[in-house]
Amino acid sequence: MLLNLDKVRQYFPALASEWTFFDNAGGSQTLKKVVDRISEFLLSSDVQLGASYAVSQLAGERLALATRGMAILINANSFKEVVMGPSTTMMLKVLSICLGQTFTSGDEIIVTNCDHEANIGAWVALEKQGIKVKVWQIRPDTLELHLADLEALMSPRTKLVTLTHASNVLGTINPIKEIATFVHDRNAMICVDGVAYAPHRLVDVQDLDVDFYALSFYKVYGPHHALLYGKEEHLLRLPGLNHYFIQQTDIPYKFQLGNVNFELSYGMLGLCDYLSELAQLHYGDKTAPDLRSQMVQAFDLISIHEEELSDRLLSYLNSKPNVRVIGQSKADRKLRVPTISFVVDGMNSSTIPAKIDQHYIGIRYGDFYAKRLIEYLGLALQGGIVRVSMVHYNTLEEVNSLIEAFEQLF
Ligand SMILES: Cc1ncc(COP(=O)(O)O)c(C=O)c1O
């Protein structure tokens, strides 16, 4: 079954503009359903939670609904495992401060050199308190992380391994489930940055068996707001960051400084509605009975379409002798997301997007805050990479137009 793009695109009013959005890994377009939910909250329940009057009760119920919806989205065991906040960078910083208090000098953390800085810098900052940070590097030939290299880095002092689910530059999906088993077998925890993965595939924190997982809603068709998952046992055990009188057992609140953004949290229920409708639209009377299974159906369609988009663009880029794809060169949806990066021989990457702008197609170049990766690849002087980041609402026609524009350039 194929994704009905005409129907899909109607859910995103911004797609009616003349622009083609191919910078989705920077931020996706927002679902009208999300915007409607945000308005609904602000226009009819914009009060403080916890009072006895009906409007305050309604606000509380709406926030609880949203947290439960997000727990379903990532398949958390409990809504208490869903911490929300302004950005993934902030959530990982909060986590590093809280986790750091449970580590002692000489303990070790392993980060990668292919992550966004949000999931590196926060951990490196713990070096100040005597934590040793080691770097798990991708191999230069495959541009992939290999478990044998992690093995060599792990020691009895390793407390945490932290890495990205999908690279926001390479597009490559890391086999998190396998890595989590490997890490747990060696008595360490695993923290995963799911920002570049979550717009494309359905997250299942229980199946992956991760200890912590973060994602940003503005890349998953919502507003600038983020989620941090933590296993309940860890969240209960860790010190919080909130006021001294907030109970140690009060999760997720003890990690949410001040009020969490009520309206943006509530807005994300619009994503649940959308995924459910996608399933209904395509599966009719074969629609799965519960929300989580409908999400599985929706993301199945999404990933099939995305693979087709990747295949079209990668086939073109791989056929050009002067172009080097940086990352997974196959379109296979199990191996990559449709975030595709490349460099062109003899061209500074900075010169390319501005020429593509003229075709009303938005792409971009740079290091995308995966600065250590771009430096490791030796691409800093070339202006980093050019990145075309697609999502399921993009069409093959849009990819064809981009290819035509590229043809005029290189
Ligand atoms: C893979 C990845 N991780 C983390 C982030 C940071 O997200 P936020 O802007 O919510 O802090 C980004 C943003 O581009 C990203 O692509």
Side-chain angles (χ1 to χ4, degrees):
M1 193 182 313
L2 295 180
L3 194 62
N4 184 329
L5 266 289
D6 288 338
K7 293 246 164 65
V8 162
R9 289 175 69 87
Q10 284 168 20
Y11 284 85
F12 298 89
L15 298 181
S17 93
E18 66 224 318
W19 281 91
T20 288
F21 296 99
F22 275 153
D23 182 25
N24 295 290
S28 58
Q29 295 308 304
T30 307
L31 284 159
K32 175 144 191 317
K33 284 183 175 298
V34 169
V35 178
D36 289 346
R37 289 269 189 176
I38 296 171
S39 304
E40 188 188 13
F41 191 97
L42 288 174
L43 298 177
S44 60
S45 59
D46 191 17
V47 296
Q48 185 55 287
L49 313 185
S52 56
Y53 62 99
V55 188
S56 175
Q57 292 289 310
L58 175 64
E61 282 157 22
R62 285 181 169 174
L63 189 63
L65 259 184
T67 316
R68 284 184 165 79
M70 293 307 97
I72 295 171
L73 181 71
I74 59 168
N75 199 28
N77 191 34
S78 153
F79 68 92
K80 292 185 187 155
E81 298 176 319
V82 176
V83 189
M84 290 199 263
S87 67
T88 288
T89 306
M90 182 81 102
M91 305 310 288
L92 290 175
K93 187 72 186 175
V94 166
L95 179 64
S96 71
I97 292 169
C98 297
L99 254 186
Q101 292 175 57
T102 68
F103 296 161
T104 51
S105 185
D107 281 346
E108 296 172 3
I109 297 178
I110 298 174
V111 300
T112 79
N113 70 339
C114 62
D115 269 72
H116 183 283
E117 190 61 18
N119 199 24
I120 304 177
W123 306 110
V124 170
L126 296 180
E127 282 180 334
K128 280 194 228 93
Q129 62 178 70
I131 307 292
K132 191 167 174 193
V133 177
K134 297 179 178 175
V135 183
W136 182 13
Q137 299 206 329
I138 53 169
R139 294 233 179 123
D141 49 342
T142 59
L143 301 189
E144 282 175 13
L145 294 166
H146 290 250
L147 272 183
D149 300 333
L150 178 60
E151 172 96 82
L153 293 172
M154 298 218 40
S155 87
R157 296 298 301 265
T158 308
K159 296 286 176 214
L160 179 74
V161 175
T162 170
L163 78 159
T164 191
H165 201 163
S167 158
N168 65 330
V169 167
L170 306 170
T172 312
I173 297 174
N174 291 315
I176 297 298
K177 190 172 172 169
E178 189 189 343
I179 298 169
T181 306
F182 184 90
V183 168
H184 289 150
D185 285 349
R186 287 156 184 77
N187 295 321
M189 292 177 287
I190 180 166
C191 169
V192 176
D193 174 349
V195 174
Y197 180 88
H200 310 288
R201 307 284 182 273
L202 189 59
V203 175
D204 188 335
V205 290
Q206 291 192 73
D207 180 55
L208 295 171
D209 193 23
V210 287
D211 297 286
F212 303 100
Y213 195 98
L215 60 92
S216 301
F217 292 128
Y218 71 101
K219 323 243 190 195
V220 197
Y221 322 115
H224 288 82
H225 195 47
L227 175 160
L228 172 71
Y229 159 84
K231 273 189 186 162
E232 191 168 353
E233 63 192 86
H234 296 320
L235 296 188
L236 285 172
R237 174 176 63 84
L238 290 181
L241 263 193
N242 218 328
H243 306 300
Y244 73 92
F245 48 81
I246 304 301
Q247 302 269 321
Q248 175 72 6
T249 50
D250 197 349
I251 58 171
Y253 189 38
K254 75 177 187 195
F255 301 103
Q256 291 176 168
L257 298 187
N259 283 309
V260 70
N261 189 311
F262 303 153
E263 61 273 20
L264 300 188
S265 303
Y266 184 66
M268 286 317 296
L269 274 180
L271 174 64
C272 299
D273 301 339
Y274 170 65
L275 295 170
S276 169
E277 280 187 29
L278 270 193
Q280 288 168 47
L281 265 170
H282 291 84
Y283 289 88
D285 57 11
K286 298 213 172 53
T287 304
D290 62 282
L291 179 58
R292 175 73 194 176
S293 314
Q294 289 166 2
M295 288 174 172
V296 172
Q297 289 183 321
F299 269 100
D300 208 32
L301 293 166
I302 285 172
S303 63
I304 291 169
H305 175 63
E306 287 187 350
E307 183 174 304
E308 215 181 330
L309 296 175
S310 293
D311 189 47
R312 178 73 53 96
L313 185 59
L314 281 170
S315 301
Y316 168 74
L317 294 172
N318 287 330
S319 75
K320 301 288 287 184
N322 54 344
V323 171
R324 183 158 53 105
V325 171
I326 306 294
Q328 175 55 252
S329 61
K330 296 192 197 78
D332 189 336
R333 63 188 168 132
K334 288 187 214 70
L335 301 179
R336 70 143 52 247
V337 294
T339 299
I340 295 172
S341 299
F342 64 92
V343 288
V344 182
D345 287 349
M347 283 182 93
N348 193 294
S349 297
S350 66
T351 59
I352 295 172
K355 303 232 168 59
I356 302 301
D357 290 349
Q358 293 159 13
H359 300 265
Y360 291 90
I361 301 175
I363 60 170
R364 66 194 303 152
Y365 77 97
D367 61 35
F368 303 93
Y369 281 23
K371 212 172 174 53
R372 297 172 204 252
L373 173 61
I374 296 300
E375 279 163 9
Y376 169 84
L377 295 170
L379 294 173
L381 284 179
Q382 201 175 330
I385 46 104
V386 179
R387 185 178 78 178
V388 180
S389 57
M390 305 176 283
V391 290
H392 70 285
Y393 54 58
N394 289 122
T395 64
L396 281 173
E397 291 71 35
E398 288 179 320
V399 181
N400 290 341
S401 303
L402 178 65
I403 291 172
E404 273 169 38
F406 281 160
E407 265 304 275
Q408 295 168 29
L409 256 186
F410 47 80

